[in-house]
Amino acid sequence: MSTQEYTNVIEVENLSTWFGSCKILKEISCYFEDNSVTAIMGPSGCGKSTFLRTLNRLNDLVPSFRQKGIVRFMGENIYGQGASVYDLRKRIGMVFQKPNPFPMSIYDNIAYGPKLHGLNDKDELDKLVEGSLKKAALWDEVKDELDKPGPNLSGGQQQRLCIARALSVNPPVLLMDEPVSSLDPISASKIEELITDLKKDYTIILVTHNVQQAFRVSDQAAFLYLGELVEFDRTKRILEAPADERTEAFITGRIG
Amino acid sequence: MSKTETPLDERAPDVFQSEKRERLKEFKSSMLNIVKSRRNFKDFLFHIILGIGIIIIIMPFFLVLYQVASVGFGELFSNGFDSFSNFFLTEPGRGLMGGIRNAFFGTIFLIILASAVGIPLSVFGAVYINEYTRPGRIRDMVEFTSDVLAGIPSIVFGAFGFAFLVGFLGLGMGLLSGSLTLAFMMIPTVLRTTQEALRAVPMSLREASLALGATKWSTTWNVTMRAAFPGVITGVLLAIGRVMGETAPLIFTSGNSLTTPTEIVGPGSWVASMPYTIWSYITDPRQYLNIKAHATAVALMTMVLAIDIVANIISRKVTRRLV
Amino acid sequence: MNQEADSTSMNTMDEKPKHLMTMILEKLKRPFIEFRDADTPGRIDFFGRIGLAIPALASTLVIILILTFLWYESAPIFTSPEGGPGIIIGPTWDPNRNLYGIGVFIAGSLACAAIAIGLAVPLGIGGAIFLSEYCPNRLRVPLRMIVEMMAAIPSIVYGLWALLVIVPFIEKSFAPAVQNNILFSWMPWFQGSTNGLSVLAGGLILTIMLLPTVVAISNDALQSVPMNLREASYALGATRSETARRIVMSAALPGIGAAVVLSLGRAVGETMAVLMVTGNSLQVPYSLFDPTYVMTSIITNQLGYAFIFPLWRSALFAVGLILLIMSIFFTITAKILIRWGMKTRGYV
């Protein structure tokens, strides 16, 4: 992929998606700015996760998935002809709802991505592992036990390990699919802090159904309802003065 | 996912109508990718090798089927339906020129008797350890021993039947010894599948019955077992299918006979079985017996595979209903 | 359990500590008290429970009986001067001269099993990966059905097919082809003339019979690997083969290990098919084309007329005992592997 002129790192134009004959997303258009946190909100089943997984083409794994519309990543259509899906996924990291460390050591968990993309130098890998773990604020807790299996960590540590794993290939964009919803409040707040820190270097797209969380960490917000993009603006504006009554209903807790 | 909430008619026509063209385009671009990148090429190669692997794996099935069925069905239907029914309904007679009535009914008698002993034993056992014991030593022990039992070679069962049933208990060779040996072999399969089926029954179902004042006993048999029944049947069928094709345990326990047995114990109870007949016919130098062995084999295989397919269908239906 | 039972047990817990004997007595008495206090459905329940407990112990009882009788029957050969524990590695089996070395059968069994495992394990694991990672949904169910049906085909039918197809193939095509080819003819494992009844034939038919086991169990292990691990790997830009080999395989490793061990047990224990194609000749095989004699075959062939000679019969039961111990060993190993997987992986 060559770098072209672009204004926003990800631009979505008229994106619609189907699973079989079910239309999940309906003509969505929006954009994601560099070094910002965008929260995608909405009640469960509104297509938030589908949207997120369309951005790194993870939905391609579902045989019945079809999409229409354009998603531009750094100026290039990711669904265009000849686009390499592996390269794309390398450059768009993802963190999942449930922590899912690989059943291998902490070190191998993080070295897995770089090794895939051809980095085999031991010293470089060591440095990269250390750097990723530090960025994910996990280094101090695990630096003496890098050989321990990843799944043996606590839930919050596992999730930070997954963030470190996503950061290991140094992607400009990080997708997060409700990263704290399966964690206890203390671990959750740690990860929220981490997201604010990471904003300096990464563009973060965060799916959440928690309005307070969106308010705390995000700059922009998008509100999805039944596959439609209802509102897309600064988070503050949306939460303080929702333009649509569906958004207001969601914020005040009447739907969701 | 809000699949049900989305109206179905909002399909984008150009996406679906030009699907074929899209597919072709996709295929072309994926081909392009394969040539372009080493990693894609490796993935492609891996895919192809595994595909060839699975073809090699299932090929013997069709080869066996072809060999046995082409010769076997030729013999079975050499003279239309008459020869088919004659094959199963006449005794071998002089020079083993006749049918395999002895083996056909022998196998059926053996299976019936083995099921009569083996199935209740294992179903009751599974009910007891699943419904009446807490997880602990007894349950572990029963599960462990039945797993061990499942791994024991069939000839060891044969030797054990010979030493214990034929020799020590003095039952002698015959229908009873043979089917008891088969019954022992049925235990692990039926027990473990029954257990699985019982485990899949939700606890709330039992609680609902107990809350109405039912005893554990009636809850188990009227509610739990009824819910688990298809799973139990699957296990029973699998066990029967497996035991039906066994030769080794029968060689020293059931004896062999050219007539259908007339009693359960004693000299008149010696019984032939279809697998044993295949063995003795195929190792016989007389050519026409080899062909009869094929015919017996195709009959046995049809029975076993039919049972297996029925078991498969039942278990698939059940999983679909529970999921 | 009915209400009375629970209240009785509560009472005994609450009372002051008593003498051990009284406690045991009370524990023994409790079922009777329970029974006396119960109404009719409660009594049915009570008898039912006892009635069910006996069948539950059947499998344990059968195992104990098998062990006891095989040991009891094989004890003479292990204690007699002609035998002793040395027979396990003894290379000569000649009942006429009172030589009962069963090492030759163990060697034959292991040779056949080694060929079968060597071929079936890589092929079967590959097939399982194809089924769980690559296979289009439409093909998956029929392919699994075929694999399950392969497992259901009686071993005697496989034996019949091997005798009529594999054995002539080795004699007429395979052996001449490799022995006349300058590339292969020097290899020690391709030496000797053959009539097709050989270790190779036994190994090949065993391979075919093991494949369904290996594929089915490995496939179960692979499919129990959570989908989100695969997604995490794809999200890092891994291809399908990289995900399959590095993530799914390593996550499913204990289950696949169990599949290998269990199929090894089946390979050693398989009787009829191997008996029909290995040639049953009393020799340790040095070439793939040598005939051999496996443990299961010697029992099948000789127990029928050996049972009047105490030592001979005893030696045959000793072979059975060794088979039994091997199968128990394999089962335990598989269980340990699964448990280890549970501990380190959390699923499997």
Side-chain angles (χ1 to χ4, degrees):
Chain A
M1 246 185 245
S2 62
T3 43
Q4 291 183 356
E5 285 292 308
Y6 61 92
T7 41
N8 294 306
V9 61
I10 294 183
E11 291 163 347
V12 181
E13 261 175 50
N14 279 327
L15 178 72
S16 305
T17 61
W18 291 262
F19 282 122
S21 58
C22 272
K23 195 169 181 180
I24 305 293
L25 297 178
K26 297 165 187 167
E27 285 87 38
I28 288 182
S29 299
C30 59
Y31 57 89
F32 302 98
E33 291 169 356
D34 277 335
N35 297 348
S36 70
V37 178
T38 309
I40 298 175
M41 296 181 292
S44 52
C46 69
K48 290 172 299 195
S49 295
T50 311
F51 181 52
L52 204 68
R53 292 150 86 84
T54 309
L55 296 182
N56 69 348
R57 291 185 66 175
L58 212 52
N59 276 331
D60 290 15
L61 300 175
V62 182
S64 63
F65 174 76
R66 293 279 174 279
Q67 58 77 33
K68 207 187 115 196
I70 295 172
V71 180
R72 271 195 219 96
F73 173 65
M74 292 185 154
E76 201 138 332
N77 185 4
I78 63 168
Y79 285 98
Q81 211 173 351
S84 162
V85 59
Y86 307 120
D87 201 46
L88 173 82
R89 289 186 190 143
K90 182 195 157 195
R91 302 204 294 165
I92 301 187
M94 184 161 186
V95 177
F96 296 81
Q97 183 169 4
K98 240 181 99 202
N100 52 357
F102 296 137
M104 40 174 96
S105 73
I106 294 173
Y107 183 94
D108 289 335
N109 255 290
I110 293 170
Y112 176 74
K115 272 186 190 160
L116 283 181
H117 298 286
L119 182 67
N120 279 317
D121 187 68
K122 182 87 177 75
D123 295 332
E124 293 249 356
L125 275 176
D126 286 349
K127 247 184 265 167
L128 212 112
V129 169
E130 187 181 336
S132 309
L133 282 171
K134 273 182 178 158
K135 275 190 217 161
L138 191 62
W139 175 252
D140 293 330
E141 290 163 55
V142 300
K143 65 182 172 206
D144 300 324
E145 36 188 26
L146 289 176
D147 295 333
K148 237 175 80 173
N152 285 10
L153 296 172
S154 73
Q157 287 176 323
Q158 283 188 19
Q159 192 62 299
R160 275 179 283 151
L161 178 65
C162 294
I163 294 177
R165 184 177 63 193
L167 295 178
S168 66
V169 286
N170 211 9
V173 178
L174 204 55
L175 310 177
M176 294 185 159
D177 188 356
E178 307 198 20
V180 302
S181 66
S182 63
L183 302 180
D184 60 285
I186 297 170
S187 313
S189 73
K190 262 191 194 160
I191 288 189
E192 277 182 22
E193 262 171 53
L194 182 60
I195 293 173
T196 330
D197 283 348
L198 289 173
K199 201 169 79 173
K200 291 198 295 284
D201 306 310
Y202 302 92
T203 306
I204 294 174
I205 304 173
L206 173 77
V207 160
T208 177
H209 61 255
N210 180 337
V211 180
Q212 275 75 37
Q213 189 188 41
F215 189 71
R216 281 196 297 270
V217 298
S218 68
D219 308 312
Q220 305 180 93
F223 177 66
L224 282 180
Y225 187 70
L226 297 182
E228 263 177 74
L229 184 66
V230 177
E231 271 191 68
F232 176 64
D233 207 335
R234 299 277 134 199
T235 312
K236 242 182 137 184
R237 214 279 294 144
I238 291 192
L239 295 184
E240 282 169 0
D244 194 291
E245 59 186 61
R246 284 171 292 180
T247 321
E248 193 178 350
F250 178 70
I251 292 167
T252 52
R254 271 184 284 137
I255 50 176
Chain B
M1 289 294 116
S2 63
K3 281 178 189 171
T4 47
E5 297 166 24
T6 346
L8 293 181
D9 51 5
E10 279 200 41
R11 311 166 75 192
D14 52 331
V15 173
F16 290 93
Q17 276 166 12
S18 61
E19 204 170 284
K20 263 192 186 157
R21 215 174 44 214
E22 290 271 316
R23 284 262 171 87
L24 198 72
K25 223 196 253 170
E26 254 171 47
F27 179 73
K28 257 189 202 161
S29 83
S30 69
M31 279 295 149
L32 209 71
N33 272 333
I34 287 164
V35 185
K36 236 166 40 183
S37 137
R38 194 175 52 89
R39 280 174 63 209
N40 276 330
F41 182 69
K42 263 168 111 177
D43 186 39
F44 179 72
L45 208 66
F46 197 59
H47 191 163
I48 295 293
I49 290 172
L50 293 187
I52 294 170
I54 196 84
I55 292 172
I56 294 175
I57 290 172
I58 61 169
M59 210 172 53
F61 176 72
F62 295 104
L63 292 177
V64 171
L65 216 59
Y66 170 75
Q67 164 77 25
V68 176
S70 61
V71 182
F73 275 125
E75 163 74 7
L76 276 182
F77 293 105
S78 58
N79 208 352
F81 189 74
D82 278 353
S83 60
F84 178 76
S85 54
N86 273 343
F87 187 72
F88 293 106
L89 297 178
T90 56
E91 302 283 5
R94 267 187 52 202
L96 306 178
M97 302 283 267
I100 53 154
R101 181 189 150 98
N102 59 336
F104 182 64
F105 283 99
T107 287
I108 290 178
F109 290 160
L110 281 167
I111 292 296
I112 291 175
L113 213 56
S115 305
V117 179
I119 292 171
L121 212 58
S122 24
V123 170
F124 291 161
V127 168
Y128 181 76
I129 63 163
N130 230 51
E131 304 294 316
Y132 285 90
T133 63
R134 298 195 183 84
R137 274 223 200 112
I138 291 186
R139 190 181 284 197
D140 285 351
M141 183 182 75
V142 173
E143 285 178 359
F144 175 72
T145 49
S146 63
D147 285 353
V148 168
L149 214 53
I152 293 180
S154 50
I155 186 66
V156 174
F157 276 102
F160 163 69
F162 180 66
F164 176 62
L165 300 169
V166 178
F168 182 77
L169 291 186
L171 297 176
M173 286 201 207
L175 192 50
L176 187 64
S177 299
S179 47
L180 280 179
T181 312
L182 293 183
F184 295 150
M185 298 187 69
M186 288 174 91
I187 291 177
T189 323
V190 182
L191 191 121
R192 291 316 294 258
T193 40
T194 307
Q195 232 194 324
E196 294 283 312
L198 288 173
R199 215 174 278 160
V201 177
M203 206 59 209
S204 58
L205 215 59
R206 301 186 181 105
E207 283 163 356
S209 165
L210 290 172
L212 289 170
T215 56
K216 184 119 192 170
W217 178 258
S218 67
T219 303
T220 302
W221 294 104
N222 296 331
V223 178
T224 318
M225 271 308 270
R226 194 163 291 181
F229 193 66
V232 178
I233 285 290
T234 308
V236 166
L237 287 178
L238 285 177
I240 288 178
R242 182 191 162 202
V243 156
M244 198 180 247
E246 287 289 356
T247 323
L250 293 177
I251 297 174
F252 309 115
T253 54
S254 73
N256 194 5
S257 154
L258 291 182
T259 53
T260 318
T262 49
E263 46 194 335
I264 288 179
V265 204
S269 75
W270 282 39
V271 58
S273 60
M274 288 170 76
Y276 193 102
T277 305
I278 298 173
W279 185 41
S280 55
Y281 280 11
I282 197 71
T283 45
D284 199 291
R286 282 170 287 188
Q287 189 58 39
Y288 64 92
L289 283 185
N290 283 3
I291 293 168
K292 279 193 195 302
H294 278 85
T296 315
V298 81
L300 180 66
M301 222 160 99
T302 314
M303 286 156 72
V304 169
L305 290 186
I307 289 174
D308 193 66
I309 288 170
V310 171
N312 233 312
I313 289 170
I314 293 177
S315 83
R316 256 171 237 283
K317 277 241 168 76
V318 172
T319 29
R320 206 175 298 149
R321 206 188 59 200
L322 286 178
V323 168
Chain C
M1 232 164 280
N2 53 24
Q3 208 58 47
E4 281 88 346
D6 284 346
S7 60
T8 333
S9 65
M10 291 276 263
N11 285 342
T12 41
M13 298 276 260
D14 287 341
E15 281 163 24
K16 282 171 207 156
K18 281 180 283 191
H19 192 260
L20 187 67
M21 272 315 280
T22 4
M23 270 167 70
I24 291 172
L25 263 178
E26 216 147 76
K27 217 169 190 181
L28 285 175
K29 257 197 289 189
R30 203 186 302 153
F32 295 102
I33 295 169
E34 206 179 294
F35 181 63
R36 194 191 61 202
D37 294 344
D39 47 0
T40 318
R43 283 180 194 178
I44 294 175
D45 196 20
F46 178 80
F47 277 119
R49 196 185 321 163
I50 293 176
L52 289 177
I54 298 160
L57 296 175
S59 60
T60 315
L61 189 70
V62 171
I63 287 280
I64 294 172
L65 281 176
I66 291 181
L67 269 170
T68 319
F69 272 87
L70 287 191
W71 172 247
Y72 166 78
E73 290 280 353
S74 58
I77 191 76
F78 284 120
T79 50
S80 77
E82 285 94 348
I87 58 165
I88 292 173
I89 49 166
T92 325
W93 174 272
D94 192 349
N96 294 330
R97 291 188 288 144
N98 265 347
L99 286 172
Y100 299 104
I102 55 188
V104 55
F105 308 118
I106 296 178
S109 277
L110 291 183
C112 283
I115 296 173
I117 290 288
L119 291 174
V121 165
L123 201 57
I125 293 176
I129 293 178
F130 182 84
L131 278 182
S132 86
E133 308 295 317
Y134 282 91
C135 190
N137 279 337
R138 228 171 306 154
L139 275 177
R140 188 171 290 145
V141 173
L143 281 177
R144 274 220 69 153
M145 275 280 247
I146 291 176
V147 170
E148 273 162 32
M149 288 203 284
M150 281 179 80
I153 294 180
S155 81
I156 187 77
V157 177
Y158 277 118
L160 180 152
W161 178 74
L163 189 64
L164 296 174
V165 177
I166 292 187
V167 169
F169 170 77
I170 290 177
E171 184 190 2
K172 303 227 169 68
S173 314
F174 186 72
V178 293
Q179 284 175 344
N180 296 334
N181 190 324
I182 196 83
L183 276 176
F184 302 112
S185 54
W186 56 273
M187 293 178 180
W189 50 85
F190 285 141
Q191 300 305 313
S193 64
T194 181
N195 58 355
L197 298 167
S198 57
V199 190
L200 184 62
L204 283 179
I205 193 62
L206 267 182
T207 307
I208 292 171
M209 298 178 71
L210 294 191
L211 275 171
T213 319
V214 181
V215 173
I217 304 180
S218 313
N219 188 37
D220 284 347
L222 290 170
Q223 294 209 314
S224 69
V225 174
M227 195 60 202
N228 63 17
L229 285 188
R230 295 188 181 94
E231 284 179 345
S233 170
Y234 290 131
L236 283 168
T239 63
R240 242 184 333 181
S241 74
E242 283 159 349
T243 307
R245 278 179 296 144
R246 301 199 193 173
I247 300 301
V248 183
M249 273 289 279
S250 92
L253 202 61
I256 292 176
V260 171
V261 174
L262 286 178
S263 59
L264 186 59
R266 283 204 56 183
V268 172
E270 181 46 51
T271 312
M272 296 315 292
V274 182
L275 164 78
M276 289 163 80
V277 299
T278 47
N280 296 340
S281 135
L282 286 164
Q283 63 180 88
V284 176
Y286 291 105
S287 144
L288 286 177
F289 297 134
D290 283 347
T292 190
Y293 220 134
V294 301
M295 287 194 276
T296 49
S297 305
I298 187 72
I299 305 179
T300 317
N301 277 345
Q302 300 196 341
L303 188 58
Y305 49 86
F307 67 96
I308 37 174
F309 307 97
L311 267 185
W312 191 357
R313 165 195 171 119
S314 170
L316 290 173
F317 274 102
V319 177
L321 186 67
I322 291 168
L323 273 173
L324 177 70
I325 291 168
M326 279 169 122
S327 77
I328 294 176
F329 170 75
F330 290 135
T331 312
I332 293 176
T333 314
K335 289 214 141 211
I336 289 173
L337 276 170
I338 299 265
R339 193 156 297 176
W340 170 64
M342 287 287 216
K343 213 189 267 168
T344 55
R345 265 88 170 163
Y347 37 85
V348 174

